[in-house]
Amino acid sequence: MKMKRTDIGVVAFFYLVSAYFYSQTVKLPASSQTYPRFTVTLVFGLTTLYLVQMIVRAVKNGTESGKEDFKDFQAVQFIVCFCATIVYLVLIHFFGFYIATAVFMVAVLLFLRVKPLATLISVVVIMALIYFAFQKFLGVRLPVGEVIKSLK
């Protein structure tokens, strides 16, 4: 299999994301840095392994553009999901993580024509996983939101 040149952008994106999150991690208290640093290091390491794999494929088999993978690209879906993500980030600030995440997931999944029952199951399972993994197991406080804070 040939290396796809479009994958270079994916690798660059993940390196940038890793660098950004690592720079944010060092601002945390020392006691809170372990898990984020582990996660960022894991993403960085996996990205590096993928880069090595790409280079090996390029040397062995050559390269190809990779643009054919985007022949079914639907710009409207991308733009709507991108805008929904921006709205999601704003909603987190005002309504907190759980409400914003549930609204975001329902809206995007229904927009992408996922069946309502599958949407409901997905939202409930993801919210439960997040709650137990982050709040119960790791003890992470997720954003509550300004509106919710003002109601207390």
Side-chain angles (χ1 to χ4, degrees):
M1 180 194 310
K2 293 184 176 187
M3 183 201 89
K4 297 179 182 182
R5 289 188 298 272
T6 52
D7 288 350
I8 295 169
V10 172
V11 168
F13 174 77
F14 276 100
Y15 277 139
L16 288 172
V17 167
S18 296
Y20 173 75
F21 280 105
Y22 187 82
S23 73
Q24 296 302 307
T25 299
V26 297
K27 296 177 184 176
L28 296 171
S31 61
S32 301
Q33 290 182 4
T34 305
Y35 181 74
R37 275 192 177 176
F38 169 76
T39 305
V40 170
T41 303
L42 184 64
V43 170
F44 183 86
L46 290 172
T47 303
T48 302
L49 286 174
Y50 187 61
L51 177 62
V52 168
Q53 183 184 40
M54 286 172 46
I55 292 168
V56 167
R57 268 192 273 149
V59 169
K60 266 181 144 174
N61 306 318
T63 65
E64 62 186 14
S65 76
K67 290 181 181 178
E68 60 277 355
D69 292 342
F70 294 95
K71 68 179 188 282
D72 295 327
F73 178 73
Q74 296 179 16
V76 172
Q77 275 188 352
F78 175 79
I79 292 168
V80 168
C81 289
F82 182 79
C83 292
T85 302
I86 302 295
V87 170
Y88 169 62
L89 295 174
V90 172
L91 287 176
I92 287 176
H93 175 72
F94 289 107
F95 297 102
F97 180 80
Y98 288 109
I99 293 171
T101 301
V103 169
F104 173 75
M105 286 184 68
V106 168
V108 170
L109 290 171
L110 291 178
F111 171 75
L112 296 174
R113 295 187 179 98
V114 175
K115 293 179 182 177
L117 181 60
T119 297
L120 178 66
I121 292 169
S122 297
V123 171
V124 169
V125 168
I126 293 296
M127 298 303 277
L129 285 172
I130 290 169
Y131 175 76
F132 286 109
F134 286 95
Q135 292 215 227
K136 292 296 181 187
F137 180 67
L138 295 172
V140 174
R141 289 188 355 232
L142 296 170
V144 176
E146 297 299 320
V147 172
I148 305 303
K149 282 182 195 173
S150 68
L151 294 175
K152 291 182 177 181

